[in-house]
Amino acid sequence: MKTTKILSLLTALMMLLSFAACGTAKGNTTNTTANKKSETAMLTAVNPNTKDEAADLHQKLMAQENAILSENSELWEKVFISADKGMAMNEDGKNYGDFLLKTIDGIKDQFSADELKLLNESAEEIKEIEGKLTILEQKFPGCGQKPSDGDMSVPAENGKPIGKDNLKKFPTFDGKDLDGNEVKSSTLFAKNTVTVVNFWFTTCNPCVEELADLEALNKQLAKKGGAVVGINSFTLDGDKTAISDAKNILAKKGVTYKNIWFDSKSKAREFTSGLYSYPTTYVVDKNGNIVGEPIVGAITSEKQSEKLQKLIDQAIANSKN
């Protein structure tokens, strides 16, 4: 995929990582890295006996992986921006650490010897973590489905309803679905009592993990005249490789709801570039109004699901007026 098409997305992601890293003293990088290695080794050595213990360990491992990526954010930004879409991890058993190691190797000339060593060691740690996560998920199915409230930074107002006087329009667009059929925002929202718009991208694990839940939600909403719509950020401008990758994952997950893309020059594209965390889900009423604050992060936890349902109910009520 062309760098220009994923630059804003990956930069936005790195904004979130840099917030976590901004308090790290540069002079302590070596000690911090050594501590991370020690923590990773201790975590991956744990062998839980129950699903609850596995779920707790899963959350700690994910937090450890995020902490590793939060270190040296400027270096990781170069890695993510340079990621080759041809190497995208499409749920075919590849380890995310291997994905990072290949990406780093492809742009190794951009780094000093010390930077390259640091990145490779960090990627190896992530590979170790991902390997342990796979073992946990195989031994204790579902142990990673419910994230803790502290797993990611989200707005304090996440999912909060908004009064009707403060509603704002979802940005307009003329786009297409992944099969090439035209989709216009003016008609997309008008035909539904509520539209749940989910922003995701192909190599975002939390995004992919919640696709089955979104498919189930789409079937529920269909009974009320509503629908779920997905927007894969890699597919903007109709990138054929990205569309093929997205369709492959959607098919594996049994997703039938519409996924769309639009032109990078559209107002909706400007809106998308402002997102700083994925997945992010918006609720839109039939008048094209965004209802409430977005749900930032996966909807799979009970707390997130409850927030989303409240927004859906409000959107349906708005559509009756």
Side-chain angles (χ1 to χ4, degrees):
M1 183 176 199
K2 294 180 180 179
T3 301
T4 53
K5 293 183 181 178
I6 63 173
L7 177 58
S8 59
L9 164 65
L10 296 174
T11 300
L13 288 173
M14 287 311 302
M15 283 175 61
L16 183 61
L17 295 178
S18 63
F19 290 154
C22 63
T24 302
K26 291 183 179 181
N28 296 328
T29 299
T30 302
N31 291 335
T32 301
T33 302
N35 290 337
K36 290 282 189 299
K37 287 182 180 180
S38 177
E39 292 170 10
T40 298
M42 287 189 293
L43 287 171
T44 55
V46 175
N47 294 306
N49 296 312
T50 67
K51 185 173 181 178
D52 286 342
E53 291 177 355
D56 180 65
L57 179 58
H58 194 286
Q59 292 172 12
K60 290 178 179 178
L61 287 166
M62 289 299 296
Q64 181 70 358
E65 184 171 307
N66 288 336
I68 292 170
L69 290 172
S70 295
E71 291 292 330
N72 306 292
S73 59
E74 291 184 3
L75 298 182
W76 282 115
E77 185 173 2
K78 289 182 181 180
V79 174
F80 293 140
I81 288 176
S82 301
D84 180 0
K85 275 296 284 103
M87 295 193 304
M89 183 179 61
N90 290 333
E91 292 202 310
D92 54 3
K94 291 182 181 178
N95 184 300
Y96 186 52
D98 286 327
F99 172 79
L100 293 176
L101 286 167
K102 289 180 180 179
T103 304
I104 293 166
D105 185 63
I107 58 169
K108 58 187 178 183
D109 293 342
Q110 296 186 30
F111 304 109
S112 68
D114 288 341
E115 291 173 339
L116 191 60
K117 181 175 182 290
L118 186 152
L119 287 171
N120 279 318
E121 289 179 349
S122 296
E124 288 288 355
E125 272 194 87
I126 290 173
K127 181 178 179 178
E128 184 179 358
I129 290 173
E130 288 289 334
K132 185 68 174 184
L133 289 173
T134 298
I135 293 173
L136 289 177
E137 291 163 2
Q138 290 175 344
K139 188 175 181 180
F140 301 95
C143 68
Q145 288 183 354
K146 186 176 180 180
S148 66
D149 291 340
D151 276 347
M152 64 176 65
S153 298
V154 298
E157 302 294 300
N158 188 31
K160 180 181 178 181
I162 290 178
K164 292 184 68 174
D165 292 340
N166 295 318
L167 293 177
K168 60 180 180 180
K169 294 286 186 179
F170 192 92
T172 59
F173 63 85
D174 290 341
K176 293 183 178 181
D177 64 23
L178 301 190
D179 292 321
N181 301 306
E182 290 189 2
V183 180
K184 293 186 178 183
S185 56
S186 58
T187 55
L188 174 66
F189 301 127
K191 68 179 182 180
N192 297 326
T193 56
V194 57
T195 305
V196 174
V197 182
N198 175 255
F199 288 90
W200 67 292
F201 64 95
T202 312
T203 53
C204 164
N205 288 341
C207 299
V208 174
E209 287 176 2
E210 72 171 356
L211 290 176
D213 293 87
L214 289 167
E215 174 65 16
L217 176 62
N218 183 58
K219 292 178 179 177
Q220 294 172 12
L221 292 181
K223 299 176 182 178
K224 302 178 181 180
V228 173
V229 172
I231 300 175
N232 184 303
S233 297
F234 283 167
T235 66
L236 300 185
D237 280 324
D239 185 282
K240 292 182 179 180
T241 300
I243 289 175
S244 177
D245 290 340
K247 290 178 71 173
N248 182 41
I249 285 183
L250 293 169
K252 287 180 179 179
K253 288 292 185 178
V255 171
T256 62
Y257 59 82
K258 191 187 301 294
N259 268 256
I260 62 175
W261 62 268
F262 35 73
D263 191 279
S264 61
K265 297 180 181 179
S266 67
K267 292 182 179 179
R269 178 63 184 91
E270 296 176 10
F271 180 80
T272 302
S273 66
L275 300 180
Y276 65 86
S277 185
Y278 286 73
T280 291
T281 302
Y282 283 84
V283 176
V284 183
D285 66 22
K286 71 179 302 179
N287 298 312
N289 296 314
I290 296 173
V291 179
E293 297 290 340
I295 301 294
V296 180
I299 66 164
T300 48
S301 72
E302 183 177 354
K303 187 175 181 180
Q304 293 279 75
S305 181
E306 289 176 354
K307 291 176 181 177
L308 179 59
Q309 188 58 54
K310 289 180 181 179
L311 297 181
I312 290 171
D313 291 342
Q314 182 177 339
I316 292 176
N318 289 356
S319 296
K320 292 179 180 179
N321 298 329

